[in-house]
Amino acid sequence: MMIERDEDTFVALKEMAEDIHLVSRNHNDELIGIEYYNKLSVLSQAELLELEQLWQYKCHTCRKEKLASQWMVVQVFMLISLAIYIAWISGGIAGTISSIVGVVAMIAMIEDKRVRIAKRNLTDARAVHGHLSQFMQSHN
């Protein structure tokens, strides 16, 4: 019995794993590739293994991006803390209060965007990798 191969499934999941932007969602905020989950059975063991390794690597890359974005928040916080100290020394209470408001706004802005996106990309990459791993284990 011959199994029909669906090259789109392999190519699409491979392209998403190798995407340099680490994006895992489309313009409708849907996880890219979820439509290929039911087509994994048409892939060869070698293709599945390659996809699993690529998605594992993407998980590591997304984890590094998340840590880098969190480190950026820490660095901004340290710089603004220095600015608060200088404002306190030179401007007293009024300068310190205005600097604290600036710190809260800056950290909220950074946390809201880059860290949130990095966390979501990591969660999505782990979900796809987990599904691939689970599929491979169930078919061995």
Side-chain angles (χ1 to χ4, degrees), residues 26 35 37 55-56 63 65 86-87 96 108 110-111 120:
N26 63 16
E35 68 271 15
Y37 281 3
W55 278 95
Q56 183 177 21
R63 189 176 306 114
E65 173 62 20
I86 293 170
T96 303
I110 293 170
E111 174 70 24
R120 185 176 70 178

Side-chain angles (χ1 to χ4, degrees), residues 66 69-74 76 103-119:
K66 183 184 130 215
S69 61
Q70 288 171 330
W71 174 241
M72 184 184 73
V73 171
V74 170
V76 168
V103 168
V104 172
M106 180 69 82
I107 290 175
M109 179 190 72
I110 293 170
E111 174 70 24
D112 186 48
K113 295 194 180 200
R114 186 173 173 195
V115 176
R116 182 178 48 85
I117 291 169
K119 285 178 180 178

Side-chain angles (χ1 to χ4, degrees), residues 37-38 40-43 45 48 131-140:
Y37 281 3
N38 59 352
L40 291 176
S41 59
V42 301
L43 299 179
Q45 193 66 21
L48 284 170
H131 185 79
L132 284 168
S133 297
Q134 193 174 37
F135 181 84
M136 287 180 61
Q137 287 176 355
S138 67
H139 285 80
N140 281 337

Side-chain angles (χ1 to χ4, degrees), residues 1 8 17 32 36 61-62 87 94 98 110 125:
M1 181 161 98
D8 289 342
I32 299 171
Y36 296 110
T61 306
C62 287
S98 64
I110 293 170

Side-chain angles (χ1 to χ4, degrees), residues 77 79-107:
F77 181 74
L79 285 173
I80 294 178
S81 295
L82 178 64
I84 287 174
Y85 177 72
I86 293 170
W88 180 68
I89 295 214
S90 62
I93 298 289
T96 303
I97 290 173
S98 64
S99 295
I100 290 173
V101 170
V103 168
V104 172
M106 180 69 82
I107 290 175

